[in-house]
Amino acid sequence: RFCTVGYERKRLVEMPTDQIAELVRVAEEYHLKFGMVGSAILSSKIWKTDRHVWDESSVDFTFASLRADKLHAGNLRSLAKFQRSITLAPEVGTPRMMKLINKRMDLDAARERLRMARAEGVKQVKLYFIYGFPFETDSDVEGIVDFCSDAVKTGLRVRASLNPFIPKPQTPLQWFPMQPLKTLKSKFQFLRNRLRALGVRDVSGYSPREAVQQAHLIFSDESAADEISAMARHGRLPSSLADRRHLIFEPK
């Protein structure tokens, strides 16, 4: 209910497997890396490509975030051949929040997949989480810590990306307000300290301050262009956003 892609791109667009095989052949010929970026790599027909593409190719493959429910010993073994790190996006740490945001992931099953990944030779996992959702409680925030704790116990090196909820247009949660900046900063500090105490040394995340700015610009009117210019002049805006100050923003 929070994800723009899920509401604007409902149909999975598949690349024909013969085209994939041809691209892999070209990558082999020119000694290129082959990066796969998509919202549902393991759900696609890509794994039905001839097995030699995955099992015999000399190409260095990398994969974007993976769906935990689609991981199994077979594709984990193939993944581990190319990279020793995988990325999962649980987003939240409790079944209650999973239901609220309408994400179909069984957290216990995800924990089991992490243990399986370690057994198949994967060394590291990066986990993406969102905090500050509407109706989030302290127990829900603590659930993120619990999930990361279980991930550490598998023996994997754990990295965590912690990002504040930003209401996005065209989603069911678009009109829910963000939590106050002070609250978001406090939650990030709490999570970062707890995760580092667990042994999660690489804890990163999107700046709460910039997240609030982004939400304001998303739902602002045409005057946002002037605001972006003003913030850029005072050094309070990332250069990547400052470069887009000419854009026209949709009004509420």
Side-chain angles (χ1 to χ4, degrees):
R1 295 190 172 101
F2 67 93
C3 180
T4 301
V5 172
Y7 283 86
E8 292 194 344
R9 301 287 184 268
K10 291 183 179 297
R11 188 174 67 87
L12 190 67
V13 179
E14 296 277 5
M15 177 180 284
T17 54
D18 59 337
Q19 288 187 26
I20 296 170
E22 176 60 19
L23 287 171
V24 173
R25 186 195 67 76
V26 172
E28 279 187 312
E29 181 179 351
Y30 292 97
H31 307 289
L32 302 174
K33 290 186 177 182
F34 197 99
M36 298 188 188
V37 180
S39 60
I41 293 293
L42 296 183
S43 299
S44 68
K45 297 174 183 176
I46 194 169
W47 294 100
K48 295 181 181 178
T49 306
D50 290 344
R51 294 310 307 171
H52 78 272
V53 170
W54 309 114
D55 296 336
E56 300 174 17
S57 173
S58 61
V59 172
D60 184 5
F61 293 94
T62 59
F63 299 84
S65 180
L66 305 170
R67 283 185 53 174
D69 60 333
K70 297 296 182 181
L71 288 170
H72 53 74
N75 56 31
L76 277 168
R77 199 169 298 119
S78 293
L79 288 168
K81 174 190 172 188
F82 310 120
Q83 60 187 61
R84 296 297 183 179
S85 176
I86 61 173
T87 302
L88 299 180
E91 315 293 6
V92 292
T94 62
R96 172 184 173 275
M97 287 303 298
M98 280 287 177
K99 193 171 185 179
L100 190 147
I101 67 174
N102 197 33
K103 179 149 187 171
R104 298 175 180 87
M105 179 186 287
D106 184 317
L107 288 169
D108 288 335
R111 291 180 173 94
E112 178 57 34
R113 296 306 194 281
L114 291 179
R115 288 189 285 269
M116 188 184 300
R118 184 69 186 92
E120 294 297 337
V122 175
K123 303 293 186 184
Q124 177 175 273
V125 61
K126 184 168 186 179
L127 301 172
Y128 281 89
F129 294 99
I130 298 175
Y131 60 92
F133 274 118
F135 311 112
E136 181 183 72
T137 67
D138 291 344
S139 296
D140 296 317
V141 177
E142 190 71 42
I144 294 175
V145 177
D146 293 340
F147 189 91
C148 290
S149 176
D150 291 337
V152 169
K153 291 174 183 175
T154 65
L156 290 165
R157 290 193 299 272
V158 179
R159 302 167 62 200
S161 178
L162 309 171
N163 305 283
F165 164 71
I166 304 172
K168 296 298 175 66
Q170 314 306 322
T171 68
L173 296 182
Q174 69 172 334
W175 298 121
F176 282 85
M178 290 183 70
Q179 294 183 7
L181 177 59
K182 183 177 180 180
T183 301
L184 294 175
K185 286 183 175 179
S186 177
K187 288 186 175 183
F188 177 76
Q189 188 71 30
F190 168 81
L191 287 167
R192 182 173 60 182
N193 291 345
R194 290 289 302 277
L195 296 187
R196 284 179 173 172
L198 291 172
V200 182
R201 298 304 176 193
D202 185 356
V203 181
S204 60
Y206 196 70
S207 160
R209 178 179 57 82
E210 291 179 4
V212 171
Q213 288 178 344
Q214 183 184 134
H216 174 67
L217 294 172
I218 286 173
F219 294 102
S220 185
D221 57 21
E222 288 86 346
S223 65
D226 295 331
E227 293 182 38
I228 294 175
S229 294
M231 285 189 285
R233 285 197 301 272
H234 292 87
R236 292 188 289 115
L237 193 70
S239 59
S240 59
L241 188 53
D243 291 340
R244 301 175 62 198
R245 56 185 177 272
H246 62 285
L247 296 179
I248 299 298
F249 292 85
E250 293 281 344
K252 287 184 180 179

